[in-house]
Amino acid sequence: MEIKQTALAGTLESSDIQIMLSEGSDGIHFDLTSDVKKQFGDDIMATIKDVLAAYDIEKANVKVIDKGALTPVIKARAITVAQRALDLKDQPNWEVL
């Protein structure tokens, strides 16, 4: 699916994650900032990629600022930002959950 608008989900509070999703030109590109990037960076990006794949998003720029979020929080924020970027706020994709 094509991203219709740049979207943001999450906060910069402790134990949360902020994800910004914008239109990309080739594949999915990450800009990840996290204190635990060395240990969990690949897992954070994999979780977000799985959600984007469920929404058929193949081209995107993803800016992520992690403040120690757990996997369920990462997934929830990724679902929210994908729905906002695709302008599906009022039509949730329940299969993704």
Side-chain angles (χ1 to χ4, degrees), residues 73-89:
V73 174
I74 297 168
K75 185 174 181 182
R77 296 302 191 193
I79 290 169
T80 301
V81 78
Q83 289 185 176
R84 288 177 179 171
L86 297 172
D87 200 22
L88 299 174
K89 298 180 288 280

Side-chain angles (χ1 to χ4, degrees), residues 18-89:
Q18 188 176 74
I19 304 173
M20 184 168 60
L21 188 62
S22 59
E23 188 176 354
S25 58
D26 181 34
I28 297 177
H29 299 281
F30 281 90
D31 176 9
L32 173 64
T33 303
S34 175
D35 290 340
V36 293
K37 184 176 180 177
K38 287 185 181 180
Q39 296 95 336
F40 300 108
D42 291 338
D43 294 334
I44 293 168
M45 290 187 290
T47 300
I48 296 169
K49 280 182 184 178
D50 289 345
V51 170
L52 297 181
Y55 282 95
D56 295 322
I57 296 173
E58 298 174 355
K59 298 177 186 174
N61 292 320
V62 186
K63 182 176 171 97
V64 180
I65 302 173
D66 173 55
K67 296 292 185 176
L70 299 175
T71 302
V73 174
I74 297 168
K75 185 174 181 182
R77 296 302 191 193
I79 290 169
T80 301
V81 78
Q83 289 185 176
R84 288 177 179 171
L86 297 172
D87 200 22
L88 299 174
K89 298 180 288 280

